[in-house]
């Protein structure tokens, strides 16, 4: 939901027709309402951070055709309307059934933390202890659930870095970091060859999934992060071709920058 909202924000920077912009703002607003009702902290934080980076990169392009201030105004208006609709709907819905509120009430009245924010601190401490026990190679893929809960279930520390450290050790983290660095360096290398707003979007899209991976999902659940990294790596090949009239290579890029 958060990633699709980011895509619509990107789309919002590419259109000028008023009716299209109104539709996009409405769609983004419904996404925001759904995220708030679901209580998805990872999606909300990731969307806010990635959108801010995307608009900042757009603004740094100094291309007034992108109308960044207008986009910010539209998003602020749409967000305010969405929040107003949500508040207005509270009298006709059971507030205790809203997932975000239900999870908060569970902490206050029952002290349950298994599915709440406080449980994350237990996972952080346990994953660090497991990594210290086997710092180089970890305990093996999927071992966290066995070692933390004492049974073979799908469990994870809700942080991809801690999961890699506890299950694959420093060697695994090095390999994971290599994938990230290769993707971002490749994207940086050909950034100037991409359409202006597409390069900014790809950076923010990768950032969205990386921030999300620091809060939720296991290695398999973070498949969208690896997908976005692959997208960043091949982005040059998408636009640099004879068909598009743009031919670029590492050598050409170095030559252009040396002039």
């Amino acid at each position: 939901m958060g990633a699709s909202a980011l895509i619509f924000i990107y789309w919002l920077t590419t259109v000028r027709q008023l009716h299209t912009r109104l539709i996009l703002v409405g769609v983004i607003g419904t996404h925001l309402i759904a995220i708030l009702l679901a209580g998805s902290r990872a999606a909300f934080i990731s969307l806010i951070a990635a959108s801010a980076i995307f608009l900042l990169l757009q603004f740094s392009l100094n291309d007034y055709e992108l109308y960044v201030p207008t986009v910010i105004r539209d998003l602020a208006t749409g967000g305010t309307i969405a929040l107003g609709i949500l508040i207005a709907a509270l009298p006709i819905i059971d507030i205790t059934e809203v997932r975000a509120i239900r999870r908060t009430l569970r902490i206050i009245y029952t002290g349950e933390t298994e599915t709440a924010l406080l449980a994350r601190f237990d996972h952080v401490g346990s994953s660090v202890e497991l990594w210290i026990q086997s710092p180089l190679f970890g305990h093996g893929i999927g071992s966290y659930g066995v070692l933390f809960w004492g049974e073979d279930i799908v469990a994870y520390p809700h942080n991809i870095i801690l999961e890699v450290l506890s299950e694959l050790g420093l060697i695994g983290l090095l390999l994971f970091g290599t994938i990230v660095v290769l993707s971002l360096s490749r994207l940086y290398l050909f950034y100037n060859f991409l359409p202006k707003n597409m390069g900014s979007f790809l950076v923010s899209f990768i950032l969205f999934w990386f921030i999300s991976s620091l809060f939720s999902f296991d290695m398999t659940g973070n498949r969208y992060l690896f997908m976005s990294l692959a997208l960043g790596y091949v982005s040059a090949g998408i636009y640099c071709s004879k068909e598009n009239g743009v031919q670029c290579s590492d050598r050409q890029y170095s030559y252009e920058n040396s002039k």
Side-chain angles (χ1 to χ4, degrees), residues 8-209:
F8 284 115
I9 291 174
Y10 157 72
W11 193 0
L12 192 62
T13 65
T14 66
V15 297
R16 302 183 185 181
Q17 298 85 355
L18 179 60
H19 68 281
T20 306
R21 299 180 69 84
L22 290 175
I23 293 173
L24 289 175
V25 169
V27 171
I28 295 170
T30 58
H31 280 61
L32 183 60
I33 291 176
I35 291 172
L36 293 175
L37 288 176
S40 179
R41 296 179 292 263
F44 183 76
I45 295 174
S46 302
L47 177 61
I48 296 299
S51 299
I53 292 298
F54 172 63
L55 294 174
L56 182 63
L57 289 173
Q58 292 289 80
F59 189 76
S60 68
L61 293 173
N62 198 28
D63 188 340
Y64 293 101
E65 292 183 358
L66 297 176
Y67 294 106
V68 173
T70 304
V71 173
I72 295 176
R73 181 204 65 193
D74 291 347
L75 290 177
T77 303
T80 302
I81 294 174
L83 186 60
I85 293 174
L86 186 61
I87 294 175
L90 289 179
I92 60 176
I93 64 176
D94 186 354
I95 193 171
T96 60
E97 290 303 314
V98 177
R99 187 167 181 262
I101 297 176
R102 186 174 69 246
R103 294 168 72 179
T104 303
L105 293 176
R106 183 180 300 169
I107 300 174
I108 296 175
Y109 292 108
T110 68
E112 270 187 56
T113 60
E114 290 185 1
T115 59
L117 182 63
L118 296 179
R120 305 297 175 91
F121 293 103
D122 294 333
H123 286 294
V124 170
S126 298
S127 57
V128 171
E129 290 178 4
L130 291 174
W131 169 61
I132 293 176
Q133 294 172 11
S134 182
L136 285 181
F137 299 101
H139 298 273
I141 295 178
S143 61
Y144 186 83
V146 176
L147 297 173
F148 184 82
W149 293 105
E151 53 183 313
D152 189 8
I153 59 175
V154 177
Y156 44 93
H158 296 269
N159 183 296
I160 194 170
I161 295 177
L162 293 177
E163 182 177 4
V164 170
L165 279 175
S166 61
E167 295 188 351
L168 301 175
L170 286 175
I171 301 299
L173 186 63
L174 177 62
L175 294 175
F176 172 69
T178 301
I179 296 173
V180 176
V181 171
L182 284 176
S183 175
L184 294 181
S185 60
R186 181 78 172 178
L187 181 57
Y188 174 78
L189 184 65
F190 294 102
Y191 187 84
N192 291 331
F193 287 102
L194 299 174
K196 293 180 179 179
N197 54 351
M198 177 56 69
S200 303
F201 171 73
L202 287 174
V203 172
S204 62
F205 191 67
I206 294 173
L207 179 65
F208 173 89
W209 288 113

